[in-house]
Amino acid sequence: MIDYDPDLLLFEIKKLNKEIAIFGFSTEGIILYEVLRKNGIKVSYFIDEKKADINSINLSDIKIYKPSEASTLNKEIIIFLATKYVNNVAEKLKKLEFKNIYDDYKIFNFFKNYDDISLPKFNFTIDKRKIYRNIKLYELNSIRENKIRLSPKFTNKELVKYKENIFINNIDIVITERCSMKCLHCSNLMQYYDNPQNSSLSLLKDSIKKLMVVTERISELRIIGGEPFMNKEIFKVINYLLTFNNFDEIIVYTNANIIPKDENLACLKNSKVKVHITDYSSTNAIEIKKFIPEKLDQFIEVMKTNNISYSIEKIINWLDMGMDKIKNYNENPSQLQKKFNDCCGNDILTLLEGKLYKCPVSAHGDNLNFFSSDKDFIDLNDQTIDENELKNKLSIFYHGNEYVKACSFCKGRSYDNKEILAAEQTREVVKIN
């Protein structure tokens, strides 16, 4: 993928009348399409695997290609990536000999006039506010840090020198193992907990404090579960996080099954707190959880009435990570490293019971005693580690780009994964073989 000056690139596109394709027919891709169109730049193609879905929408001036069909396009075409699988997709396009591959976030940051874009003729699964958060994340992240993060070639010694300024994209802060749903394919392994508990508040506070002290800045602190509102003391966690100033936003991820009230509602009104609603009302989950659509409407109304910032993501499918039947896939180190590199969640750290992990499967797999390795987490509760040593460990851990033991038990989260129906419910606790 090419680093670029958006002003110069767009000037060249207009001057030479270059063809443009967008990889990813998604909310992000359509917003990019509209931004470019409104600024006099024509998009000729979309590239996306879900061509059948695309053909149901009327876009008479655009041609749609599946990735397997895109090889017929001019290799000099400009391709903007509107997908979370940036590295995975860029690699595929390079193998097809495409030369001009760019991320889309610099374009968004260059124009900064996309707020008034309306998309009435499209029925999308995620609203614009989520995309804008992603754009902001890109803008706030250190380019140097991102380059280090994506390189597997740095030694631990070389990585340590970057400990002075540790910038982290996202951290999932698990505040409960309890959930109002029991999804068979849950990537947080909630389906395997037979006696789910809330996280220890004192341990959470201690580990959060240690983490915040050694981190220069964190873009998003993401409050998750299970279902975070199952923990009646969620307000204590949020209010404690708000005492720090080296983060940008707190995002509460919820399925909207539980309506917050009292202190749990009041804490959401802070301008640094956002709520992200996962909408399961169009899944088969409603056959068992019949209350989902009604609760969703009630939840949204509460958000609106209280002027709380929120976004909604309608979920239809999930990637099949193999979480319904956890097993060892017996892959060699090179296969595991590729799986980790291609994973769209390989830079989202997870904080669970005082330990910092590289992903939720690693975190909950260890917490459930399914699989573990000492190198796969940082124990923030280890009293023998001083501040400088913790900085060193965190820099190596976050930027080192090494796969973890959990990768052996996961199908991964790449563009190549097949999709399955989201939120299929199970009435029983799932047992590992």
Side-chain angles (χ1 to χ4, degrees):
M1 195 162 56
I2 302 172
D3 192 18
Y4 67 101
D5 179 326
D7 193 9
L8 292 176
L9 178 61
L10 293 171
F11 175 79
E12 181 182 356
I13 288 172
K14 287 184 176 181
K15 181 179 179 181
L16 301 178
N17 196 28
K18 290 198 170 185
E19 285 190 307
I20 295 178
I22 295 175
F23 193 107
F25 193 85
S26 58
T27 312
E28 183 177 336
I30 289 298
I31 293 174
L32 177 63
Y33 165 79
E34 290 290 330
V35 166
L36 293 171
R37 185 186 63 79
K38 288 183 70 172
N39 287 276
I41 298 172
K42 177 179 172 57
V43 175
S44 300
Y45 313 102
F46 271 97
I47 304 173
D48 199 289
E49 191 66 46
K50 305 176 186 63
K51 186 173 179 180
D53 297 335
I54 296 168
N55 285 340
S56 66
I57 299 172
N58 181 24
L59 275 178
S60 58
D61 58 336
I62 295 268
K63 291 184 178 179
I64 312 295
Y65 289 87
K66 283 189 174 184
S68 58
E69 301 168 342
S71 59
T72 61
L73 295 175
N74 184 343
K75 304 305 180 186
E76 301 293 331
I77 192 173
I78 303 290
I79 301 178
F80 289 112
L81 305 183
T83 173
K84 60 185 176 183
Y85 308 105
V86 170
N87 298 308
N88 193 203
V89 169
E91 181 182 335
K92 289 181 176 300
L93 292 173
K94 286 178 182 177
K95 288 181 178 178
L96 293 173
E97 300 182 348
F98 288 103
K99 302 175 182 178
N100 301 307
I101 306 166
Y102 303 88
D103 65 62
D104 63 349
Y105 291 116
K106 284 188 178 181
I107 299 297
F108 283 121
N109 288 331
F110 177 74
F111 284 120
K112 295 185 182 296
N113 64 345
Y114 41 80
D115 285 332
D116 61 343
I117 287 177
S118 114
L119 310 171
K121 63 179 179 177
F122 302 109
N123 180 22
F124 288 113
T125 59
I126 182 171
D127 70 26
K128 290 189 292 183
R129 284 164 288 197
K130 172 66 173 176
I131 303 301
Y132 299 163
R133 283 214 311 271
N134 292 345
I135 295 166
K136 184 178 179 183
L137 271 178
Y138 184 89
E139 187 173 15
L140 292 171
N141 289 337
S142 162
I143 293 175
R144 179 194 67 185
E145 291 291 305
N146 284 341
K147 287 180 178 178
I148 298 296
R149 179 71 183 86
L150 295 173
S151 173
K153 299 178 182 179
F154 285 84
T155 65
N156 286 355
K157 184 176 180 181
E158 289 172 320
L159 289 167
V160 166
K161 68 181 180 180
Y162 292 99
K163 69 183 177 64
E164 303 299 331
N165 299 290
I166 300 176
F167 294 87
I168 295 177
N169 290 357
N170 318 279
I171 293 182
D172 284 352
I173 300 175
V174 182
I175 68 169
T176 185
E177 301 159 358
R178 301 165 65 210
C179 192
S180 56
M181 301 173 69
K182 192 180 290 294
C183 301
L184 180 61
H185 300 274
C186 176
S187 62
N188 284 7
L189 309 190
M190 295 299 108
Q191 66 275 38
Y192 289 94
Y193 282 95
D194 57 6
N195 185 28
Q197 303 291 321
N198 291 335
S199 300
S200 163
L201 183 60
S202 60
L203 183 57
L204 261 178
K205 286 184 174 181
D206 288 346
S207 53
I208 287 169
K209 182 178 180 179
K210 288 183 179 179
L211 186 61
M212 299 304 283
V213 166
V214 300
T215 306
E216 182 74 16
R217 196 156 196 86
I218 301 174
S219 295
E220 287 187 356
L221 296 169
R222 300 164 30 149
I223 307 298
I224 68 168
E227 165 51 46
F229 288 111
M230 292 285 284
N231 187 333
K232 301 304 180 185
E233 294 188 319
I234 183 176
F235 71 96
K236 293 183 179 180
V237 179
I238 292 175
N239 288 338
Y240 182 69
L241 290 172
L242 288 169
T243 65
F244 298 94
N245 58 17
N246 57 329
F247 72 93
D248 296 305
E249 292 183 326
I250 297 169
I251 313 294
V252 181
Y253 279 73
T254 177
N255 59 29
N257 290 177
I258 299 172
I259 313 299
K261 58 183 180 180
D262 302 328
E263 298 101 328
N264 288 338
L265 179 61
C267 68
L268 304 178
K269 298 178 183 180
N270 189 286
S271 61
K272 296 191 77 172
V273 179
K274 307 288 187 293
V275 176
H276 183 70
I277 300 168
T278 306
D279 173 7
Y280 292 115
S281 63
S282 297
T283 69
N284 290 337
I286 62 173
E287 294 178 5
I288 295 177
K289 306 289 186 178
K290 300 183 185 302
F291 56 80
I292 288 177
E294 180 180 358
K295 286 291 186 181
L296 176 65
D297 291 341
Q298 293 174 1
F299 194 102
I300 294 172
E301 184 58 33
V302 169
M303 296 297 102
K304 290 179 178 178
T305 302
N306 289 274
N307 295 314
I308 294 170
S309 178
Y310 72 95
S311 56
I312 307 173
E313 183 173 6
K314 180 183 286 292
I315 297 295
I316 306 296
N317 297 312
W318 282 342
L319 292 181
D320 181 12
M321 298 168 57
M323 294 299 101
D324 57 327
K325 295 179 181 178
I326 293 178
K327 65 178 183 179
N328 193 330
Y329 291 94
N330 297 311
E331 294 165 306
N332 62 43
S334 62
Q335 290 173 313
L336 293 170
Q337 188 62 57
K338 184 179 187 308
K339 184 190 293 184
F340 179 84
N341 291 345
D342 291 346
C343 180
C344 67
N346 65 13
D347 66 343
I348 302 177
L349 300 179
T350 298
L351 178 62
L352 174 61
E353 295 299 338
K355 296 178 181 179
L356 194 65
Y357 301 85
K358 288 191 176 182
C359 78
V361 177
S362 182
H364 291 283
D366 181 35
N367 198 42
L368 287 160
N369 297 315
F370 288 170
F371 41 79
S372 179
S373 172
D374 289 344
K375 74 178 182 65
D376 289 349
F377 61 82
I378 297 176
D379 188 354
L380 297 173
N381 198 39
D382 186 345
Q383 302 302 318
T384 67
I385 302 177
D386 62 23
E387 184 177 317
N388 285 331
E389 185 179 357
L390 182 56
K391 276 188 176 182
N392 290 349
K393 282 179 173 290
L394 181 57
S395 183
I396 293 169
F397 185 73
Y398 182 57
H399 298 299
N401 200 33
E402 295 179 7
Y403 69 86
V404 293
K405 190 169 184 179
C407 295
S408 296
F409 298 84
C410 176
K411 291 182 179 179
R413 296 174 69 181
S414 79
Y415 185 80
D416 294 327
N417 283 62
K418 75 173 186 178
E419 291 188 338
I420 54 176
L421 293 176
E424 179 185 350
Q425 296 298 287
T426 175
R427 298 182 185 274
E428 304 296 332
V429 174
V430 179
K431 303 294 184 182
I432 191 168
N433 294 328

